[in-house]
Amino acid sequence: GLAGHHGAGRASRDWPEIAEILGARAGAHAIPNEKVTVKLDDPKSPINAVFGGRPFEITDEFFRPAAPYSREKLHVLLSIDVEKTDMDQSRACAACAREDHDYAISWIHNYGQGRVFYSALGHSPGGFWNSRILEHFLAGIQFILGDLKADTTPSAKLAVRK
């Protein structure tokens, strides 16, 4: 398994496969202290259990997921709730807006025979003092190690089932 957080999406830019493995490249970000409301895309996932099914606010630096990001391939766990977040906190970031308004923060998927967990959280040191974020990271690591079972069905396919 592979776990990546925050800047991992900027790693090895000369190796295209790393973006496929992680599920996305880290795109633009607005400011290093952007306050967002996070929605739980899968409140039933054991990786999200620590959040008790409730959205939450957090301040961090949020990379916008860039190609090859797709809900057709990834099981999104957390994303920015655009209806409850000021998405214009930095007017200097035209590249921060996605046409689809889909700003995933955390996801899982299978890659080959391995499991992948990625979270864009983790730029600000305060996130590492937040026990719920740390428990989310730990559950993601347990998932990639095979110690925690979680549904990896791509989010787009789950939406079709409903």
Side-chain angles (χ1 to χ4, degrees), residues 10-83:
R10 293 208 180 264
S12 301
R13 298 196 69 78
D14 59 339
W15 181 36
E17 188 177 14
I18 191 66
E20 291 291 335
I21 295 169
L22 285 175
R25 285 260 182 231
H29 60 82
I31 52 178
N33 58 344
E34 188 174 12
K35 184 177 182 179
V36 307
T37 298
V38 176
K39 70 178 176 181
L40 280 63
D41 287 71
D42 183 356
K44 294 180 181 171
S45 173
I47 300 170
N48 283 343
V50 68
F51 303 118
R54 293 181 300 280
F56 60 95
E57 287 187 349
I58 191 164
T59 301
D60 205 338
E61 179 181 80
F62 294 93
F63 289 118
R64 284 19 181 198
Y69 171 76
S70 170
R71 285 180 182 250
E72 297 287 333
K73 297 179 183 178
L74 306 173
H75 186 96
V76 177
L77 300 167
L78 305 174
S79 63
I80 296 175
D81 188 331
V82 297
E83 295 192 10

Side-chain angles (χ1 to χ4, degrees), residues 78-97:
L78 305 174
S79 63
I80 296 175
D81 188 331
V82 297
E83 295 192 10
K84 295 180 180 174
T85 300
D86 175 4
M87 296 301 291
D88 209 14
Q89 293 177 52
S90 172
R91 305 199 187 329
C93 187
C96 287

Side-chain angles (χ1 to χ4, degrees), residues 62-141:
F62 294 93
F63 289 118
R64 284 19 181 198
Y69 171 76
S70 170
R71 285 180 182 250
E72 297 287 333
K73 297 179 183 178
L74 306 173
H75 186 96
V76 177
L77 300 167
L78 305 174
S79 63
I80 296 175
D81 188 331
V82 297
E83 295 192 10
K84 295 180 180 174
T85 300
D86 175 4
M87 296 301 291
D88 209 14
Q89 293 177 52
S90 172
R91 305 199 187 329
C93 187
C96 287
R98 290 179 52 99
E99 286 185 32
D100 61 5
H101 305 288
D102 183 9
Y103 304 97
I105 295 172
S106 186
W107 59 76
I108 56 176
H109 74 115
N110 295 317
Y111 186 82
Q113 295 179 2
R115 291 172 294 278
V116 178
F117 166 75
Y118 174 80
S119 177
L121 297 168
H123 174 78
S124 301
F128 294 98
W129 291 99
N130 183 324
S131 62
R132 294 187 319 157
I133 300 304
L134 293 176
E135 285 186 50
H136 177 69
F137 289 168
L138 177 59
I141 292 166

